[in-house]
């Protein structure tokens, strides 16, 4: 049985798995027809089905786990300590990312589109100038938007975390016990967390397209902050985690059913939308996509509780590596992909070399440079080497 009041190794493993999936998802973005920074000459529809199955839940899982982590971190640091820790650990990587790490992505995107022809060093001063007249915003955070949003949510949560925790340990626990501990607990844990997202899909999504613009991304904020708060509020709720464990089999079966059905609909989505006789399926499919996203997350939470809730040296190492890998990976994909796809390689060879360049680049830069150079560690989200071990582990 999972001990909900100690370090959650199962969620540590899930966080690592989610970030690795995110890396491969961004490699996939190089190959699907969807708009992205640079594209392979082999881009086509082959990877779309798998990408579509990952897309609904990959980031929501990370926000849920981040909510749980914030609950544990608040218990160790308090409100002021939590705010300070997040401001430093996330603020410095955001600054370093926007000023340096992300810049090559913008340069190569503009080179590929024909909007810029010079070298990176000719481009860089213009990148740092917010008044530069490019078709994209510079400087920018690109894939680091997740860290920006998580920082904002953490700072908003810090001053009210104490009262929320006291509520969840008192009256809130009584409410969740009635919802999740009884005979209908499995049904409740499968259905309830998806309902707010369905409401947002009806009321916010049609008016606020996801754009990762912090001040005008309200639908994305609603979805992301809600799943983070679910993780925060239920992080130590025994009734909820018991229901998650009991819901494993039905959640997995339902996730497979929904994934199969949605894949069939997505394969002919444009035709479905254009056919007046099939219009009745559009909105049920959109709601089903949100339900599938929670089913996938719930299935992974249940499986992780059962099979992954154990420490290991590999877990300790990867927990420290995952943040620097996240910061680095997309720039490595863009740079390596831009060069590889111009070498006349076969699609399979290009893909394998891109994976090696991305994973190998992240591993080598983290192990040989970031992890070992004390002054670099905070700029990639790591605690200084001389920080107490429990503080490093809490942050990681």
């Amino acid at each position: 049985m999972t001990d909900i009041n100690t370090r959650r190794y199962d969620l540590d493993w899930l966080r690592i798995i989610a970030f690795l999936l995110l890396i491969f998802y961004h490699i996939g973005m190089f190959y699907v027809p969807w708009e992205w920074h640079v594209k392979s000459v082999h881009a086509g529809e082959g990877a779309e089905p798998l990408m579509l199955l990952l897309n609904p839940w990959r980031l929501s899982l990370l926000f849920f786990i981040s909510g749980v982590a914030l609950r544990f971190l608040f218990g160790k640091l308090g409100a002021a300590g939590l705010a300070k820790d997040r401001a430093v650990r996330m603020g410095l990587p955001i600054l370093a990312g926007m000023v340096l790490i992300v810049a090559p992505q913008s340069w190569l995107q503009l080179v590929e589109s024909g909007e810029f022809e010079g070298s990176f060093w000719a481009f860089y001063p213009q990148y740092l100038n917010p008044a530069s007249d490019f078709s994209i915003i510079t400087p920018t955070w690109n894939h680091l938007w997740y860290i920006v949003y998580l920082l904002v949510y953490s700072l908003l949560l810090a001053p009210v975390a104490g009262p929320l925790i006291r509520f969840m340990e008192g009256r809130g626990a009584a409410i969740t016990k009635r919802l999740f501990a009884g005979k209908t607990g499995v049904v409740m844990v499968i259905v309830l967390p998806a309902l707010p997202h369905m409401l947002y899909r009806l009321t916010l999504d049609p008016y606020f397209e996801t754009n990762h613009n912090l001040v005008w991304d309200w639908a994305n904020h609603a979805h992301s902050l809600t799943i983070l708060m679910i993780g925060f509020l239920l992080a130590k709720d025994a009734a909820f985690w018991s229901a998650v464990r009991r819901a494993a089999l039905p959640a997995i079966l339902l996730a497979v059913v929904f994934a199969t059905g949605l894949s069939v609909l997505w394969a002919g989505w444009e035709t479905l939308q254009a056919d007046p006789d099939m219009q009745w399926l559009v909105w049920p499919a959109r709601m089903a996509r949100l339900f599938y996203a929670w089913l996938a997350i719930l299935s992974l939470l249940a499986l992780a509780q059962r099979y992954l809730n154990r420490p290991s040296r590999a877990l300790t190492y990867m927990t420290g590596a995952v943040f620097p890998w996240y910061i680095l990976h997309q720039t490595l994909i863009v740079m390596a992909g831009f060069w590889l796809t111009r070498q006349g390689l076969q699609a399979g060879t290009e893909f394998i070399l891109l994976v090696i360049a991305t994973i190998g680049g992240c591993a080598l830069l983290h192990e040989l440079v970031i992890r070992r150079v004390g002054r670099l560690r905070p700029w990639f989200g790591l605690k200084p080497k001389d920080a107490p071990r429990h503080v490093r582990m809490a942050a990681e």
Side-chain angles (χ1 to χ4, degrees):
M1 184 174 179
T2 302
D3 187 345
I4 60 174
N5 292 305
T6 61
R7 187 171 182 92
R8 295 291 303 272
Y9 299 108
D10 54 333
L11 297 185
D12 288 338
W13 278 115
L14 265 189
R15 178 171 174 261
I16 291 165
I17 292 168
F19 273 117
L20 287 175
L21 285 174
L22 184 62
I23 291 174
F24 279 95
Y25 183 87
H26 285 153
I27 291 174
M29 286 296 293
F30 184 60
Y31 287 102
V32 292
W34 311 340
E35 183 179 349
W36 205 56
H37 309 288
V38 296
K39 306 299 295 187
S40 170
V41 297
H42 303 293
E45 298 178 354
E48 276 192 336
L50 182 57
M51 298 281 284
L52 288 168
L53 287 175
L54 285 175
N55 193 46
W57 56 265
R58 58 191 178 87
L59 285 167
S60 294
L61 175 61
L62 283 174
F63 276 114
F64 179 91
I65 296 172
S66 295
V68 176
L70 286 171
R71 175 73 173 268
F72 279 85
L73 196 58
F74 180 87
K76 295 179 179 181
L77 302 179
L82 174 63
K84 180 180 178 181
D85 179 88
R86 298 294 89 177
V88 172
R89 189 180 179 230
M90 295 181 175
L92 292 180
I94 291 167
L95 180 60
M98 292 182 66
V99 170
L100 184 60
I101 303 298
V102 171
Q105 298 180 36
S106 299
W107 169 54
L108 292 176
Q109 179 176 346
L110 294 172
V111 168
E112 180 160 299
S113 67
E115 193 173 338
F116 189 85
E117 296 182 353
S119 69
F120 174 74
W121 300 114
F123 167 77
Y124 189 60
Q126 297 180 60
Y127 169 82
L128 293 178
N129 182 4
S132 294
D133 188 21
F134 293 123
S135 60
I136 60 175
I137 296 172
T138 60
T140 184
W141 46 60
N142 277 3
H143 68 292
L144 301 182
W145 71 268
Y146 163 75
I147 307 177
V148 176
Y149 283 30
L150 185 55
L151 171 59
V152 172
Y153 300 160
S154 301
L155 295 178
L156 290 173
L157 178 59
V160 298
L164 288 175
I165 290 172
R166 288 191 290 274
F167 172 80
M168 289 306 302
E169 290 174 346
R171 188 174 300 177
I175 295 172
T176 57
K177 185 175 182 179
R178 286 197 296 270
L179 289 174
F180 299 124
K183 295 180 179 179
T184 61
V186 169
V187 175
M188 291 298 181
V189 82
I190 288 174
V191 174
L192 286 183
L195 296 182
H197 300 284
M198 295 182 178
L199 177 62
Y200 304 148
R201 184 65 183 87
L202 292 169
T203 59
L204 291 175
D205 286 28
Y207 307 104
F208 298 99
E209 183 179 357
T210 297
N211 55 22
H212 302 150
N213 178 336
L214 180 64
V215 298
W216 197 254
D217 201 17
W218 298 111
N220 192 14
H221 282 313
H223 289 291
S224 301
L225 183 55
T226 295
I227 195 71
L228 179 141
M229 290 304 302
I230 290 173
F232 179 83
L233 293 173
L234 299 177
K236 298 187 178 184
D237 190 270
F240 170 77
W241 288 106
S242 174
V244 168
R245 188 169 57 254
R246 290 182 286 122
L249 182 58
I252 292 169
L253 292 175
L254 284 170
V256 171
V257 169
F258 273 78
T260 303
L262 285 169
S263 294
V264 172
L265 292 177
W266 289 334
W269 189 248
E270 292 182 2
T271 303
L272 185 150
Q273 287 185 302
D275 187 347
D277 294 332
M278 301 296 289
Q279 286 293 302
W280 63 273
L281 268 176
V282 172
W283 273 101
R286 289 169 175 166
M287 295 297 107
R289 181 181 184 274
L290 296 167
F291 189 41
Y292 158 70
W294 173 245
L295 287 170
I297 293 170
L298 180 59
S299 299
L300 291 169
L301 293 175
L303 289 170
Q305 268 198 96
R306 183 166 299 184
Y307 298 111
L308 297 180
N309 195 28
R310 56 181 62 89
S312 75
R313 294 180 65 181
L315 175 61
T316 301
Y317 180 84
M318 289 187 288
T319 297
V322 69
F323 202 2
W325 279 45
Y326 171 72
I327 294 168
L328 293 169
H329 81 277
Q330 185 161 293
T331 296
L332 292 175
I333 294 170
V334 170
M335 294 177 67
F338 182 90
W339 184 80
L340 286 169
T341 204
R342 286 161 171 77
Q343 305 309 307
L345 303 172
Q346 295 294 318
T349 303
E350 179 190 285
F351 172 76
I352 291 171
L353 290 176
L354 181 57
V355 171
I356 292 173
T358 304
I359 301 298
C362 287
L364 291 174
L365 286 170
H366 166 256
E367 174 60 28
L368 300 180
V369 182
I370 297 167
R371 181 169 174 261
R372 298 177 185 276
V373 180
R375 292 183 179 180
L376 281 180
R377 290 174 62 92
W379 297 97
F380 286 87
L382 301 179
K383 285 288 184 178
K385 286 186 176 181
D386 57 353
R389 184 176 183 277
H390 75 276
V391 174
R392 293 202 309 272
M393 289 296 291
E396 294 169 357

